[in-house]
Amino acid sequence: MSKNFDYSLVDNVLEEHQYKQSAIIAILQSLQEHYHYLPKEIFPRIAEKLNVSEARIYSVATFYENFSLEPKGKYVIKVCDGTACHVRKSIPILERLRKELGLSEEKITTDDLLFTVETVSCLGACGLAPALTVNDKVHPAMTPDKAASLIKELKEAE
Amino acid sequence: MLKSREDLKSLREVYINSSKKEDKKILVCAGTGCVAGGSLDIYQRFIDIMREKGINCSVELQKEPHDNSIGIKRSGCHGFCEMGPLVRIEPQGYLYTKVKIDDCMEIIEKTIENDEIVERLAYKKDGKVYKVQEEIPFYKKQTRIVLEHCGHIDATSINEYLSIGGYTAFEKALFDMSQDDIIKEVEESTLRGRGGGGYPTGRKWAQVKKQKSDVKYIVCNGDEGDPGAFMDRSIMEGDPHRMLEGMMIAGIATGAKEGYIYVRAEYPMAVSRLENAIKQAEEYGLLGENILGTDFSFKLHTNKGAGAFVCGEGSALTASIEGKRGMPRVKPPRTVEQGLFDKPTVLNNVETYANVPEIIVRGAGWYKGIGPESSPGTKAFALTGNIANTGLIEVPMGATLREIIFDIGGGMKDGAEFKAVQIGGPSGGCLITPNLDLPLDFDSLKKVGAMIGSGGLVVMDSNTCMVEVARFFMNFTQNESCGKCVPCREGTKRMLEILERIVAGQGVDGDIELLLELADTISSTALCGLGKTAAFPVVSTIKSFREEYEAHIYDKKCPSGNCKKLVTYAIDPEKCKGCSKCSRVCPVGAISGQIKEPFVIDSSKCIKCGACKEACNFKAIGEV
């Protein structure tokens, strides 16, 4: 276990969930909400306190798409590529965002840790297609140009 | 805290009367769609204006006897998302569309203070103005049972739910009916699971009741993962108590004391509305120990998914609630025997539970009077894609596609030509023009190789490439395959490779046959529903659009001009001014020419990136 890592948050979250093994997903979700990803230091601690193997925690963390073991940007942009958004042309929006930020399918987070661009299967906002979210706020009826100005706005707000 | 049946009855009476004291109601849609359009700011603006003007407005139903007032509410989704943000005014039933902050003052001054309609905000079509919501063609042909109150009550208030008779069914089930009575009523109603399978709900409940176990669970599947579906989201957000009531009745009927609601993480608002609803029910003592003085106790929990489509499958979902990887297991034992934590479990989806209270209150006979005999009731559909009115609708089972797409949906967007509709998401199939008059119910769809699925309807026009659609769904399923069984893990990957080759212009003779063979193998051997149905979109598009596949494979052409790799770019010499911009942006130097003379593209070098087309200021470059 890392000596330089502050475990107080991890311990609080574990206590909140009463050290239940069935709460592994909820525990990881709470921690990810705070760190924006799952730092590797937390795994041994959770395993020890819940009395399960580290592999078990790791297996859950790697199975679900929402968990990330890599740090993410301050603004996580999720471009919906569900059916409804796809047929209303969501891919050009994704391509434009990647172009504006110098990202690609492999490199999803900018070096300054400001932006992460991902796709999501369906936000359930199909009536507003094509849609994207910035940290869970839905932006409806997007176009590549609107997406570009959104990036500009977010950058200027920094 | 309510301690008896009488307590509940008198509290309900209080809020029924309180609701009557609201002369007018302003219902601002607070579904995900309208919130994204700024409806919460509109809601606040209404309150501010009324307070400034000294109009007595009530944000919540008031308990004490009080003066008449104007009710202002955050309602659930009205379904007409295309026209949002929506504001409904009662009692007139006016529906204002695309409302902006600046419109609020006019609405208050005209409609609230002077009973006049603000006509410019009413829905208009073909020159006709529709003042009243129920008159709009989008609503007129719908039958709303599950969505009855969605958009008509404040979704964040249990008192509002009580004011429209909420928890009457629960009360009836708890005091006037035996476990067998409840199950018999649900069985007789022939309610079938709305999650896609269509399994009779009453039979499922009876099987769980029969199990000799002290611990049983009620689980609600709110992991609505099909891309293009958002019925369950709207119910959870717009009328959460109705679903809770359905789960509580299932608890009474089967002897379960605990329930779990599994909601996908992409629906944060649904999670918070449900948590809010559970808290309110607990505070009133409708959830907890010895409910209303009886020996029935029931607790409810919410679980947030973490982004795995496969968790919509029963055994994967229960594994996920247990804090494990969401992978399906071999059956039997079935979920009704050994489900969550290896205990007998009722697992139904959101819409199914939401149907239950009305069946208990109004009886199986009433329910069976709606829709066809073998699958009665209504079905909610999410209408999306290239259609004029996207949104959420509810129609009797057995309605035809033509009614849904053309009467309710308003036909194709921008007058395009109808090509197909994808039903049932990545596990479903596509229906085409000859299927337009087919009644939509569980059995007739099965006959044509499609399924209702959860209820997503994605409408596609003639500009959509069906091979690309098949590739899109296969890409989705392949991504979501959990990897446990070989047919799904490896089979979907091979099918995706073949489809990717075809849309890239590298299809070969025999690809169609190979796809069909793989599809057959995967469908017969995969472990769970996700795998078994993974190939359906491919099989169904091959069946209806084989010539499109052939055009891609043999002629290297995409008939709808969608597949980038099959497009040939050419410069129109008439329009080209010879500015050389295209040749400068071309990444592979495929464009050449003399300044002020028409340029040409060397198609053998062209990589079809489309950069030249985008760069041209004279629209001289096109796809041929």
Side-chain angles (χ1 to χ4, degrees):
Chain A
M1 231 167 280
S2 170
K3 287 204 175 84
N4 302 324
F5 195 85
D6 179 4
Y7 285 102
S8 54
L9 179 85
V10 180
D11 292 343
N12 284 345
V13 168
L14 285 166
E15 201 184 320
E16 243 170 66
H17 291 279
Q18 296 153 26
Y19 305 98
K20 275 192 204 152
Q21 291 180 10
S22 61
I24 291 178
I25 294 175
I27 291 166
L28 294 179
Q29 279 168 337
S30 293
L31 291 171
Q32 177 157 296
E33 213 165 279
H34 178 81
Y35 294 112
H36 298 290
Y37 77 111
L38 298 173
K40 63 179 188 310
E41 290 85 353
I42 65 173
F43 288 85
R45 186 71 154 209
I46 303 173
E48 185 199 311
K49 298 272 181 179
L50 295 186
N51 198 22
V52 294
S53 70
E54 233 178 287
R56 164 86 190 275
I57 313 284
Y58 187 75
S59 81
V60 172
T62 51
F63 182 80
Y64 295 97
E65 188 144 350
N66 292 168
F67 294 127
S68 170
L69 301 176
E70 301 289 325
K72 284 198 179 177
K74 183 176 170 194
Y75 299 104
V76 178
I77 303 176
K78 293 184 181 177
V79 179
C80 183
D81 195 29
T83 327
C85 289
H86 189 79
V87 302
R88 283 197 181 180
K89 313 284 177 222
S90 55
I91 294 298
I93 297 168
L94 176 68
E95 283 170 352
R96 179 66 174 272
L97 282 171
R98 283 181 177 156
K99 201 172 130 192
E100 294 279 332
L101 295 166
L103 298 174
S104 65
E105 201 173 334
E106 290 75 35
K107 182 179 163 51
I108 61 163
T109 302
T110 52
D111 291 331
D112 57 4
L113 285 183
L114 206 50
F115 293 100
T116 297
V117 176
E118 317 173 309
T119 57
V120 55
S121 294
C122 184
L123 295 166
C126 315
L128 316 162
L132 60 80
T133 58
V134 181
N135 298 347
D136 285 343
K137 185 177 188 301
V138 182
H139 293 261
M142 293 305 286
T143 62
D145 287 344
K146 274 195 196 167
S149 42
L150 181 66
I151 295 287
K152 217 175 132 205
E153 268 171 44
L154 291 173
K155 273 188 183 163
E156 275 164 11
E158 277 305 304
Chain B
M1 194 76 150
L2 307 172
K3 295 219 177 326
S4 67
R5 184 177 197 176
E6 280 59 45
D7 282 0
L8 174 63
K9 279 189 164 183
S10 57
L11 187 71
R12 190 186 294 120
E13 204 55 38
V14 166
Y15 287 110
I16 289 174
N17 289 331
S18 172
S19 177
K20 283 182 195 151
K21 282 272 193 175
E22 292 182 345
D23 296 333
K24 290 195 186 110
K25 292 183 183 134
I26 305 174
L27 294 146
V28 181
C29 179
T32 295
C34 288
V35 167
S39 68
L40 293 182
D41 296 334
I42 292 171
Y43 169 79
Q44 192 54 48
R45 178 78 183 129
F46 275 126
I47 296 176
D48 293 345
I49 293 177
M50 286 195 277
R51 294 215 165 125
E52 270 165 40
K53 284 178 163 283
I55 298 174
N56 185 11
C57 75
S58 40
V59 182
E60 271 175 58
L61 282 179
Q62 293 161 33
K63 198 171 177 181
E64 264 46 73
H66 62 93
D67 294 337
N68 289 13
S69 65
I70 307 292
I72 166 102
K73 297 162 201 304
R74 279 168 295 193
S75 77
C77 179
H78 289 264
F80 209 3
C81 308
E82 185 82 25
M83 287 290 149
L86 298 165
V87 173
R88 180 182 159 91
I89 310 283
E90 283 184 3
Q92 294 95 332
Y94 294 156
L95 185 73
Y96 292 143
T97 58
K98 301 197 173 173
V99 177
K100 295 188 186 62
I101 290 258
D102 298 339
D103 299 325
C104 296
M105 185 63 92
E106 193 178 347
I107 294 174
I108 295 286
E109 287 180 346
K110 280 196 171 159
T111 314
I112 299 302
E113 293 186 319
N114 290 306
D115 289 310
E116 278 170 48
I117 187 165
V118 183
E119 205 169 286
R120 64 182 179 86
L121 294 173
Y123 178 74
K124 295 173 200 75
K125 187 156 196 265
D126 303 327
K128 194 172 171 216
V129 182
Y130 296 89
K131 293 179 182 170
V132 177
Q133 182 172 4
E134 285 70 23
E135 293 294 314
I136 298 172
F138 179 77
Y139 290 102
K140 208 171 175 184
K141 293 229 169 179
Q142 295 192 42
T143 304
R144 294 188 152 220
I145 295 174
V146 171
L147 299 173
E148 188 185 356
H149 307 303
C150 255
H152 293 212
I153 59 168
D154 194 312
T156 56
S157 158
I158 189 171
N159 298 337
E160 287 264 332
Y161 187 64
L162 289 173
S163 80
I164 44 104
Y167 291 107
T168 307
F170 172 68
E171 185 193 322
K172 184 174 170 187
L174 190 59
F175 292 101
D176 301 337
M177 296 170 90
S178 69
Q179 288 183 312
D180 289 328
D181 288 343
I182 300 171
I183 290 173
K184 204 170 139 232
E185 198 73 53
V186 177
E187 265 188 326
E188 264 177 25
S189 75
T190 355
L191 171 66
R192 293 169 69 171
R194 275 5 187 198
Y199 192 81
T201 306
R203 197 183 302 165
K204 196 182 268 183
W205 291 16
Q207 286 161 351
V208 172
K209 195 217 150 202
K210 194 171 78 183
Q211 305 292 323
K212 290 184 182 60
S213 167
D214 290 344
V215 183
K216 294 173 184 176
Y217 293 106
I218 304 296
V219 176
C220 176
N221 184 349
D223 192 49
E224 184 176 49
D226 281 15
F230 54 100
M231 297 75 51
D232 295 346
R233 193 205 69 200
S234 296
I235 296 169
M236 292 187 280
E237 286 176 6
D239 200 0
H241 284 286
R242 189 188 182 103
M243 191 190 99
L244 300 191
E245 193 177 355
M247 291 183 75
M248 287 151 73
I249 293 167
I252 303 173
T254 55
K257 295 184 185 64
E258 226 173 327
Y260 288 83
I261 308 169
Y262 189 89
V263 188
R264 65 195 289 252
E266 287 78 5
Y267 291 174
M269 195 193 280
V271 175
S272 71
R273 295 256 165 96
L274 284 169
E275 283 172 351
N276 174 55
I278 291 171
K279 197 167 143 255
Q280 291 172 339
E282 281 171 352
E283 280 164 8
Y284 275 163
L286 291 167
L287 285 172
E289 300 292 322
N290 298 98
I291 296 168
L292 301 179
T294 64
D295 54 9
F296 176 66
S297 303
F298 199 64
K299 267 199 290 197
L300 273 175
H301 314 272
T302 52
N303 278 71
K304 217 161 71 175
F309 176 69
V310 70
C311 288
E313 203 276 342
S315 56
L317 185 145
T318 51
S320 185
I321 295 179
E322 292 166 15
K324 298 176 185 153
R325 285 165 81 95
M327 286 172 150
R329 60 163 171 77
V330 182
K331 288 176 215 177
R334 298 175 40 227
T335 307
V336 290
E337 296 153 352
Q338 284 181 31
L340 185 60
F341 300 114
D342 292 330
K343 300 292 179 194
T345 301
V346 173
L347 177 60
N348 282 131
N349 101 319
V350 173
E351 198 183 335
T352 314
Y353 285 123
N355 264 296
V356 170
E358 281 302 285
I359 291 174
I360 296 296
V361 171
R362 299 168 84 160
W366 162 80
Y367 193 75
K368 277 170 87 169
I370 306 159
E373 207 178 319
S374 60
S375 45
T378 57
K379 178 78 192 89
F381 288 101
L383 211 50
T384 60
N386 298 315
I387 187 157
N389 303 332
T390 54
L392 185 73
I393 62 160
E394 185 178 346
V395 289
M397 282 276 185
T400 65
L401 273 178
R402 192 182 298 281
E403 285 166 346
I404 293 174
I405 296 171
F406 293 95
D407 296 347
I408 297 173
M412 305 302 292
K413 198 176 173 69
D414 307 323
E417 195 188 330
F418 171 80
K419 183 169 187 176
V421 54
Q422 170 71 25
I423 183 165
S427 329
C430 64
L431 297 170
I432 49 174
T433 310
N435 305 127
L436 278 177
D437 292 307
L438 187 81
L440 292 186
D441 59 60
F442 291 112
D443 305 316
S444 36
L445 277 175
K446 212 174 245 172
K447 280 183 207 144
V448 293
M451 64 186 245
I452 273 195
S454 51
L457 285 176
V458 185
V459 179
M460 288 170 282
D461 64 22
S462 48
N463 296 319
T464 316
C465 170
M466 298 313 287
V467 186
E468 160 58 23
V469 168
R471 186 209 61 81
F472 169 81
F473 279 119
M474 190 48 76
N475 184 44
F476 176 84
T477 333
Q478 203 276 317
N479 258 325
E480 296 295 343
S481 173
C482 78
K484 183 166 178 174
C485 75
V486 181
C488 177
R489 185 182 67 223
E490 301 299 327
T492 55
K493 205 160 180 83
R494 297 290 91 79
M495 286 185 78
L496 179 63
E497 281 167 6
I498 296 169
L499 289 164
E500 279 176 343
R501 244 186 22 233
I502 296 177
V503 295
Q506 286 153 14
V508 294
D509 188 28
D511 273 350
I512 298 180
E513 290 71 21
L514 189 55
L515 280 174
L516 290 172
E517 191 188 328
L518 280 166
D520 189 41
T521 310
I522 299 170
S523 299
S524 346
T525 54
L527 182 62
C528 80
L530 182 139
K532 282 186 202 297
T533 57
F536 282 13
V538 178
V539 175
S540 144
T541 46
I542 290 179
K543 201 171 123 201
S544 301
F545 298 97
R546 195 182 179 108
E547 69 288 350
E548 267 187 45
Y549 278 83
E550 287 168 350
H552 281 78
I553 295 171
Y554 301 110
D555 311 334
K556 309 292 174 209
K557 281 246 153 64
C558 173
S560 51
N562 243 286
C563 297
K564 261 194 179 173
K565 293 275 168 62
L566 293 176
V567 163
T568 312
Y569 286 96
I571 299 173
D572 182 346
E574 302 275 304
K575 288 185 185 160
C576 179
K577 305 274 190 237
C579 73
S580 86
K581 195 174 175 190
C582 55
S583 74
R584 281 179 279 132
V585 299
C586 179
V588 290
I591 307 178
S592 57
Q594 299 278 329
I595 294 290
K596 292 192 176 165
E597 296 285 325
F599 277 58
V600 283
I601 301 175
D602 180 350
S603 59
S604 64
K605 283 190 193 161
C606 175
I607 55 162
K608 294 154 190 184
C609 67
C612 53
K613 188 185 170 190
E614 216 173 281
C616 182
N617 293 332
F618 310 101
K619 294 196 164 71
I621 301 175
E623 294 138 13
V624 288

